[in-house]
Amino acid sequence: MLQINNLHKTYKHALEPSLQGLSIQFSTGIIAGLLGPNGAGKTTTISIICGLVAPDNGDVVVLGDNVRSELDSIKRKVGVVPQSIALYPQLSVFENLQYVGKLYGLKGTELKDKIYHYLRIFGLDNNAKKAIKHFSGGMKRRANIIAALLHEPVLLILDEPTAGVDVQSRNMIMDFLKMYNGQGHSIIYTSHLLEEAQELCDEVAIIDNGKLVAHGNTEDLISSYHANNLEDLFLKITGTKVRD
Ligand SMILES: Nc1ncnc2c1ncn2[C@@H]1O[C@H](COP(=O)(O)OP(=O)(O)OP(=O)(O)O)[C@@H](O)[C@H]1O
């Protein structure tokens, strides 16, 4: 589903590179975790995968399409849930989703039905007309996910989708991701909540300082490092030093 080959990226005016020869391959149909400490390069990698940031060197092939030459095709097949809430606060969730849906060429009853379908799944249908600015953090996160789903992406990429949400919203998001994956869709997800990642991910890739430091089946990796769980494995691999 995803081939990342030797990615290098140094942002303009940055003193240090953000990615230093990152290579990862994820197969189709799995839930993959892209994990790493603060500043490891997860968001930069996601931004390159969806064409928002250009790499200095290296290649990314998403579902058979190269990001350098086939970005339009990738945009149709991939849904991205950004770390920050990408919705207009003054508009209702329905208006926001209608706007996003129209960008993907959806309209009329088909679009309305699809919006309500997802609003129901994410428990937001009773607040369809409420402005985003009046939503709780958990409601905003759930709405942010729906915005990436309306075009039914084959691959869903989520950057910390459960950051700052309560247990109920997190459960709802986790259940949805398992169901979406069960329907045959691939998922790539980043999180600092390693218990959650262990429950969700078939495979994890751990990156640090812009390089891959471990990758494999989650349970196999934990046992091969004689770790108690994913958090223990993560600390064994990335160390206990606090990152800036
Ligand atoms: N637009 C930018 N300009 C300059 N440096 C940047 C920019 N975006 C990210 N960086 C730097 O690149 C490095 C990797 O950042 P990135 O956001 O990709 O890491 P991350 O793994 O997603 O971190 P976090 O877990 O904190 O979200 C960091 O050192 C960061 O400061």
Side-chain angles (χ1 to χ4, degrees):
M1 144 226 338
L2 178 71
Q3 286 170 279
I4 294 175
N5 303 316
N6 197 27
L7 274 191
H8 288 263
K9 177 69 189 177
T10 303
Y11 287 98
K12 213 172 175 180
H13 308 307
L15 297 175
E16 305 282 337
S18 297
L19 298 180
Q20 313 188 63
L22 180 71
S23 297
I24 311 172
Q25 298 199 356
F26 287 129
S27 41
T28 304
I30 63 165
I31 304 185
L34 184 61
L35 309 176
N38 287 134
K42 303 179 294 293
T43 300
T44 301
T45 305
I46 288 177
S47 303
I48 292 173
I49 295 170
C50 59
L52 287 174
V53 168
D56 300 331
N57 263 303
D59 246 343
V60 178
V61 178
V62 189
L63 302 162
D65 293 331
N66 193 301
V67 284
R68 289 182 194 271
S69 53
E70 290 148 312
L71 198 54
D72 285 345
S73 171
I74 291 173
K75 282 182 182 166
R76 283 193 294 275
K77 293 189 268 190
V78 176
V80 180
V81 181
Q83 206 175 96
S84 48
I85 305 296
L87 300 166
Y88 293 99
Q90 312 289 343
L91 300 182
S92 72
V93 65
F94 182 81
E95 288 165 333
N96 265 286
L97 295 173
Q98 204 172 29
Y99 174 74
V100 173
K102 283 179 180 170
L103 292 179
Y104 283 106
L106 298 163
K107 54 186 185 228
T109 319
E110 187 199 358
L111 174 56
K112 191 177 172 192
D113 289 350
K114 197 165 271 187
I115 291 172
Y116 272 97
H117 168 73
Y118 284 115
L119 287 175
R120 274 192 294 277
I121 288 181
F122 283 96
L124 295 171
D125 47 320
N126 290 331
N127 290 292
K129 301 284 161 65
K130 200 181 204 174
I132 293 291
K133 66 179 176 185
H134 297 307
F135 271 25
S136 70
M139 290 165 81
K140 283 181 193 163
R141 286 261 159 229
R142 286 181 267 143
N144 207 35
I145 295 173
I146 300 175
L149 288 170
L150 294 174
H151 63 299
E152 290 173 13
V154 182
L155 167 62
L156 183 63
I157 302 177
L158 308 100
D159 198 353
E160 296 190 37
T162 54
V165 306
D166 64 19
V167 177
Q168 286 78 6
S169 278
R170 187 146 57 85
N171 269 339
M172 184 176 265
I173 293 169
M174 297 270 286
D175 286 347
F176 172 77
L177 295 178
K178 288 175 196 165
M179 184 192 81
Y180 199 65
N181 176 247
Q183 292 170 346
H185 303 98
S186 304
I187 293 174
I188 298 173
Y189 141 103
T190 82
S191 180
H192 290 292
L193 302 169
L194 298 183
E195 198 179 326
E196 176 188 297
Q198 184 174 343
E199 180 188 333
L200 204 57
C201 299
D202 304 303
E203 281 181 26
V204 291
I206 300 176
I207 65 174
D208 200 6
N209 296 313
K211 290 184 203 151
L212 184 71
V213 288
H215 178 203
N217 171 280
T218 311
E219 294 307 322
D220 291 351
L221 212 51
I222 290 169
S223 63
S224 69
Y225 276 81
H226 305 290
N228 299 319
N229 50 41
L230 186 56
E231 184 165 326
D232 189 27
L233 168 80
F234 187 87
L235 287 171
K236 280 185 183 218
I237 290 173
T238 60
T240 51
K241 185 170 168 272
V242 173
R243 310 305 157 94
D244 294 330

